[in-house]
Amino acid sequence: NRTMENYLGKAVKGSRMVVRKQRTHNIPEQKELRRILRTNSTSAEATLWGLINKRQLLDTRWRRQFSIGQYILDFYCPELKIAIELDGSHHFTANGNERDFIRDRFLTEQEGIVFLRFENKAVWNNTPELIQTIIDTITDRRNKIYCCNSND
């Protein structure tokens, strides 16, 4: 009796059915796309990655091109549920703004993710302010987590 898994995430073993939680983060079908996006990142993304990777900001771990459901986030901190999006010119169209709004609202409501959005040029023109905003958000999220999860 082998365990077989169908596309709905259900496993069948003998005559017993076990329902498994369907994977929503970094799903295998998007692996190649995420790899391509990492390989072909914009210069703004590469610059910001150099500032936040390897736990450089308050010992937080960030992931590049992390997917949740159908959406791929530029940078994501799973521990604190913070997403950073760097926006190029296509985001500043009516269609781009609408898509971003729908995506951000869905991920905020479903996953509790906080979004930080910056224009690409802010990485170079306003680096100290950008980093300070990220640090403030990390601090705020940690305070909320430790405040709400303490047993005192």
Side-chain angles (χ1 to χ4, degrees), residues 43-62:
S43 57
E45 289 172 344
T47 300
L48 182 58
W49 181 243
L51 297 171
I52 67 173
N53 73 346
K54 299 180 183 174
R55 298 184 180 265
Q56 294 179 74
L57 284 183
L58 302 178
D59 199 37
T60 52
R61 181 172 181 214
W62 294 89

Side-chain angles (χ1 to χ4, degrees), residues 28-121:
E29 294 82 9
Q30 292 179 330
K31 184 176 184 175
E32 183 64 17
L33 176 58
R34 290 192 315 270
R35 188 190 65 75
I36 290 168
L37 289 171
R38 281 191 301 272
T39 302
N40 299 305
S41 62
T42 66
S43 57
E45 289 172 344
T47 300
L48 182 58
W49 181 243
L51 297 171
I52 67 173
N53 73 346
K54 299 180 183 174
R55 298 184 180 265
Q56 294 179 74
L57 284 183
L58 302 178
D59 199 37
T60 52
R61 181 172 181 214
W62 294 89
R63 298 187 181 179
R64 283 188 339 170
Q65 305 302 337
F66 188 86
S67 69
I68 299 177
Q70 66 180 335
Y71 302 110
I72 298 177
L73 306 171
D74 290 342
F75 304 98
Y76 182 63
C77 175
E79 171 196 1
L80 301 172
K81 294 189 176 189
I82 302 170
I84 300 173
E85 290 293 310
L86 295 181
D87 296 340
S89 59
H90 65 280
H91 289 271
F92 301 108
T93 64
N95 191 25
N97 281 330
E98 183 179 356
R99 278 196 323 263
D100 289 343
F101 175 78
I102 290 168
R103 166 187 139 137
D104 293 0
R105 184 179 65 193
F106 174 80
L107 291 172
T108 298
E109 290 174 359
Q110 297 298 313
E111 301 286 336
I113 295 172
V114 170
F115 278 86
L116 299 176
R117 286 193 168 276
F118 303 102
E119 288 186 59
N120 285 337
K121 63 184 179 181

Side-chain angles (χ1 to χ4, degrees), residues 2-52:
R2 287 183 5 187
T3 300
M4 299 184 316
E5 195 167 319
N6 70 12
Y7 68 97
L8 294 176
K10 295 177 183 173
V12 179
K13 187 174 185 176
S15 60
R16 190 177 93 177
M17 183 170 15
V18 178
V19 179
R20 294 183 182 162
K21 184 177 179 184
Q22 193 169 7
R23 184 175 180 166
T24 59
H25 293 59
N26 279 343
I27 56 176
E29 294 82 9
Q30 292 179 330
K31 184 176 184 175
E32 183 64 17
L33 176 58
R34 290 192 315 270
R35 188 190 65 75
I36 290 168
L37 289 171
R38 281 191 301 272
T39 302
N40 299 305
S41 62
T42 66
S43 57
E45 289 172 344
T47 300
L48 182 58
W49 181 243
L51 297 171
I52 67 173

